[in-house]
Amino acid sequence: MSTFINRREFVKLSAFASGSQLLNSCSTQATSMSPHNMCDFAAPKIEKVRVAVVGLGNRGYGAVQRLMKIADLEIVAFSDLEEAKVKKANTLLRNAGLKEAKEFFSGPEDYKSICDMGIDLMYCVTSWDYHTPISVYAMESGVHAATEVPAGKTIDEMWELVETSEKTQKHCMMLENCCYDFFELTSLNMVRQGVFGELTHAEGAYIHCLSESMMGSSSENSGGWRTKENVGIHGNLYPTHGLGPVAQCLDINRGNRFEYLVSMSSQEAAFSSFARKKGRKDMLNINFRGDMNTSVLKTVKGQTVMIQHDVSSPRPYSRIHMLQGNRGMVRKYPREEYALLDYHKAHEFLDKEEKKELEAKYRHPLIKTLGDVAKKVGGHGGMDFMMDYRLIYCLKNGLPLDQNVYDAATWTSLYPLSIESVKRRSTSVDVPDFTRGKWKNNKQLPIVDVNPKKLKLYNTDTASGQLSV
């Protein structure tokens, strides 16, 4: 049984046993257990950030290509289960005229030895099972942690991340890159400026047809860890790309929080259909998760949020990213559109010129400062580099991170909570308050920017000079 149920039931049973006075003392104790608040926490400045990259698959290798362009950063260690991938990553550094990193490829616990090297940041890009263990061990070793999505797989792991970050006073950031996509940043700025009025509803998704890649090339090569994660469980298994950006717009953990959710999944049809078409009998009858999961969350302020997940069905990519307020709405997929009362267009979208005018007026400062160079460096159109640059910028200059451990835990929690709700015939499931009440006084995420003079970049094509920012 999940930890969130155990803790909740414990408090209920305590109340029955000793009355409401004990219930209140339990609630107070839970809050007072954590005197440290990691929202807006600023760690001491780091002059040159020493980074280890663990996991060098597609995402890890791409991260190396981005991180090596930051001048006040040194990649000191690479780790992967495959030696060839470690060597390939070091070739990038060597060809750019940079110091090669120490190589680790002896096993899945190499990260423990890496933490003994005196690094500042563990950049975890492994398969999902290792995200929480690596992050926790890093923080306990005095190292900040940045982990790929999702931050973990269970509610127990989410609490472990939160409690470890608070105890050690080390950052734990989930690398939710979609919060740095240009459209999402600009829509966040519009929300802050009141363009859509009071928000009432939001939608997000991860809809991405991955049947072929999860199928693998043969029964001997059947898609690896990602296929495994989609077998035997039913829920929203990858929620944070859609949830993270809208959660920031709704001030989740910063004056607002998710209270409960309901979730349901359709039957499975698309993956098995693809398997039959490809003659892959080994991929039939494996209890693959339902094609479409739809989860709806309710906030304490009354807003509703719909998050969908479907990585099997033949349909175009979408994260939806829709925000609805009492004065208008914005939607990114399938086309970037706005409908606003201020433009007298409640029943139709803005035309091309109106849209251009609106986006120019509210373009996020981070895009104005870093957007051009981010597009040059790349990573999903530049948002990956914006995320990496901003992370290292905050560590170097002693600033709070844009995403903290409470965000990592809350956004990821939809994964196990949706599974729980689906198991219970879509009954409501409470969302834990990972801040233990601190959300009530936490400040709103500011509209952030950077000063390029405070974190310079290499032009690694020639290993000299600076990119123009």
Side-chain angles (χ1 to χ4, degrees), residues 4 6 68 121 123 235 267 276 334 341 353 364 370 462 468:
F4 79 97
N6 291 339
M68 61 186 282
L121 176 66
Y123 198 104
Q267 84 276 25
R276 283 190 291 270
L341 284 178
E353 289 304 314
H364 195 287
L370 201 60
T462 60
S468 176

Side-chain angles (χ1 to χ4, degrees), residues 386-436:
M386 298 261 273
M387 172 186 69
D388 291 334
Y389 186 94
R390 177 71 187 164
L391 166 60
I392 303 303
Y393 182 90
C394 291
L395 292 177
K396 176 177 171 59
N397 293 288
L399 300 173
L401 303 189
D402 304 332
Q403 300 174 32
N404 55 55
V405 70
Y406 308 121
D407 299 323
T410 302
W411 303 350
T412 299
S413 72
L414 177 52
Y415 173 7
L417 295 177
S418 66
I419 295 170
E420 194 73 34
S421 179
V422 170
K423 284 181 181 177
R424 300 185 193 179
R425 295 190 66 190
S426 304
T427 55
S428 64
V429 175
D430 290 344
V431 178
D433 173 15
F434 293 103
T435 74
R436 299 183 184 90

Side-chain angles (χ1 to χ4, degrees), residues 105-163:
F105 42 82
S106 62
E109 293 194 346
D110 278 340
Y111 64 88
K112 295 180 179 180
S113 298
I114 292 172
C115 285
D116 294 334
M117 294 176 59
I119 62 173
D120 301 305
L121 176 66
M122 178 71 76
Y123 198 104
C124 175
V125 209
T126 64
S127 56
W128 298 358
D129 288 337
Y130 293 100
H131 289 181
T132 296
I134 290 175
S135 298
V136 167
Y137 191 90
M139 289 186 284
E140 289 179 338
S141 301
V143 177
H144 298 300
T147 182
E148 255 294 354
V149 304
K153 297 172 67 175
T154 68
I155 296 298
D156 281 339
E157 287 187 328
M158 295 305 97
W159 277 113
E160 188 177 14
L161 288 172
V162 168
E163 291 164 358

